[in-house]
């Protein structure tokens, strides 16, 4: 297998995303309690979460744009309290800062630094992680998000956009991610080689197996170093 570049999922591949998402919701809730107590009372954390899920169901045209879903949720919550001029930008800034305050898996950074010594890296994420805020942007040749490209994984077009940005045919790009459907099935349908990053030791049950499977990023870096040594 000839690998000339790695494309990489972010959330739950380089860091666990759930703690950051939960903390971000709490930060917004605390800010609302302080500055808009009526809205905070009308929309406690769980109700706000349900509202966002409802907004997502009602706005399938925004399925690739979690950020806009959250802005719309705030607008809706305030409107329901009779306030048309919702502080959308301010609540978004609070959410965004906390959402990007992620704690990397202990193997991630060292592995990324080893991989970029051999091949360029592209990020492909459906979420709204910001590598610049997180401090990893210098390691990435290109960063693609579903909201920027206009389609979300597993749509092959977002993977093809990554290959195009690299100037490589898809079969020379190895896509790495934790999600069997979004990452492995999606990338395979775009013609990429695939790695399932299976940190939890789950059982594969999504059709044809990925080309490779690793439990951490260190093993991926080992494989990249070994394979680029024989190819060059
Ligand atoms: Mg992921």
């Amino acid at each position: 297998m000839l690998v000339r570049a790695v494309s990489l999922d972010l959330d739950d591949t380089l860091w666990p995303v759930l703690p950051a998402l939960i903390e971000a919701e709490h930060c917004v809730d605390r800010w609302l309690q302080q500055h808009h107590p009526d809205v905070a009372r009308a929309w406690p954390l769980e109700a706000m979460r349900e509202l966002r899920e409802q907004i997502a169901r009602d706005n399938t045209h925004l399925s690739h744009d979690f950020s806009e879903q959250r802005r719309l949720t705030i607008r809706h919550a305030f409107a329901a309290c009779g306030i048309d001029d919702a502080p959308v930008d301010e609540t978004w800034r609070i959410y965004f800062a906390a959402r990007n305050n992620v704690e990397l898996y202990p193997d991630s950074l060292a592995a990324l630094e080893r991989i970029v010594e051999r091949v360029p890296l592209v990020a492909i994420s459906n979420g709204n992680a910001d590598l610049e805020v997180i401090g990893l942007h210098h390691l990435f040749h290109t960063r693609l998000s579903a909201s920027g490209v206009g389609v979300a994984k597993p749509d092959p077009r977002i993977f093809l956009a990554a290959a195009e940005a690299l100037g490589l045919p898809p079969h020379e790009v190895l896509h790495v991610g934790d999600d069997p459907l979004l990452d492995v099935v999606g990338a395979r349908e775009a013609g990429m080689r695939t790695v399932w990053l299976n940190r939890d030791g789950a059982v594969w049950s999504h059709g044809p197996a990925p080309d490779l499977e690793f439990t951490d990023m260190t093993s991926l870096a080992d494989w990249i170093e070994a394979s680029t040594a024989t190819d060059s």
Side-chain angles (χ1 to χ4, degrees):
M1 180 175 9
L2 176 63
V3 170
R4 293 198 191 278
V6 166
S7 84
L8 197 61
D9 172 55
L10 299 176
D11 291 330
D12 290 331
T13 290
L14 296 183
W15 52 75
V17 73
L18 200 57
L21 295 183
I22 290 172
E23 177 56 19
E25 288 179 346
H26 279 280
C27 285
V28 171
D29 186 55
R30 284 195 291 271
W31 186 84
L32 288 176
Q33 285 180 35
Q34 203 176 344
H35 298 275
H36 299 274
D38 293 349
V39 178
R41 260 194 303 278
W43 298 98
L45 209 132
E46 194 54 43
M48 191 71 97
R49 194 174 288 157
E50 281 166 21
L51 175 62
R52 194 191 69 80
E53 287 165 7
Q54 184 64 45
I55 296 268
R57 281 193 296 274
D58 293 348
N59 294 275
T60 50
H61 65 288
L62 294 178
S63 61
H64 63 284
D65 195 341
F66 294 145
S67 308
E68 192 53 32
Q69 286 178 15
R70 290 199 179 271
R71 290 192 197 95
L72 202 53
T73 302
I74 289 292
R75 234 172 258 135
H76 189 102
F78 275 75
C81 295
I83 303 168
D84 290 333
D85 190 19
V88 176
D89 291 340
E90 184 137 25
T91 50
W92 173 249
R93 270 195 297 277
I94 292 161
Y95 182 87
F96 187 71
R99 184 262 184 267
N100 281 297
N101 189 20
V102 294
E103 188 175 340
L104 269 58
Y105 290 116
D107 50 281
S108 292
L109 181 59
L112 289 176
E113 288 172 342
R114 287 171 59 201
I115 292 167
V116 296
E117 290 288 312
R118 302 302 183 103
V119 291
L121 267 178
V122 177
I124 307 183
S125 178
N126 281 0
N128 39 37
D130 187 318
L131 288 168
E132 222 154 311
V133 178
I134 294 166
L136 295 176
H137 60 290
H138 59 288
L139 295 170
F140 287 81
H141 172 280
T142 302
R143 294 167 267 157
L144 297 177
S145 67
S147 61
V149 177
V151 291
K153 296 182 289 185
D155 190 311
R157 286 174 289 177
I158 195 167
F159 297 99
L160 296 175
E164 195 180 321
L166 290 157
L168 291 172
H171 67 267
E172 292 182 2
V173 181
L174 184 66
H175 180 73
V176 181
D178 68 291
D179 193 294
L181 173 66
L182 301 183
D183 291 306
V184 176
V185 174
R188 185 176 55 225
E189 284 182 4
M192 285 185 179
R193 301 298 191 149
T194 55
V195 171
W196 184 30
L197 195 68
N198 179 16
R199 289 185 180 274
D200 301 327
V203 175
W204 180 261
S205 60
H206 294 78
D211 292 307
L212 298 163
E213 179 181 329
F214 300 119
T215 54
D216 57 31
M217 290 291 293
T218 306
S219 312
L220 172 68
D222 291 344
W223 187 91
I224 292 284
E225 283 178 355
S227 96
T228 49
T230 51
D231 286 338
S232 59

